[in-house]
Amino acid sequence: MSPKELRFQLQSLEKSIQSHKSIIMDLSDQVWSLQDEIATLNTVVAARDDELMKMMEMLEEEKSEAVAKVQLEHNSLIKLRDDEINELHCNKLNDMKALN
């Protein structure tokens, strides 16, 4: 190869290298931008996770309160039923005594 041909090849390679450097720099900028977007999205997701956890805790508390209320009402109804049964039993005993 002649010096002129070598110089031409060298210049062509340098242009190719510059072009590739430019592409690499563009891709690098895009990577940085995507990393920033990912960080932002991670922050948003973490905040929403916190909100969901708080909501779940509140729902769990409400559920516990509702269960306790229903159990209390159930126990009250059972006591009321038992009191009525006892009263009927006492009335029956009194009626039987009155007959004797």
Side-chain angles (χ1 to χ4, degrees), residues 30-90:
Q30 289 177 14
V31 167
W32 282 109
S33 177
L34 289 172
Q35 286 177 334
D36 287 344
E37 287 182 41
I38 289 169
T40 300
L41 289 173
N42 283 338
T43 301
V44 169
V45 167
R48 288 187 179 164
D49 280 350
D50 288 345
E51 289 175 18
L52 286 174
M53 290 302 289
K54 287 176 185 173
M55 284 183 195
M56 288 176 67
E57 288 172 3
M58 286 178 15
L59 287 172
E60 200 59 41
E61 288 175 15
E62 289 176 11
K63 175 185 162 190
S64 294
E65 290 171 5
V67 166
K69 182 178 177 183
V70 167
Q71 286 175 336
L72 185 62
E73 289 177 19
H74 180 259
N75 292 340
S76 294
L77 289 172
I78 288 174
K79 184 178 181 333
L80 181 63
R81 181 204 64 193
D82 290 347
D83 289 348
E84 288 176 358
I85 289 172
N86 285 337
E87 184 179 340
L88 288 172
H89 184 69
C90 286

Side-chain angles (χ1 to χ4, degrees), residues 17-35:
I17 289 170
Q18 286 302 99
S19 174
H20 285 92
K21 279 183 180 179
S22 177
I23 291 170
I24 290 170
M25 293 302 288
D26 287 345
L27 290 173
S28 179
D29 289 345
Q30 289 177 14
V31 167
W32 282 109
S33 177
L34 289 172
Q35 286 177 334

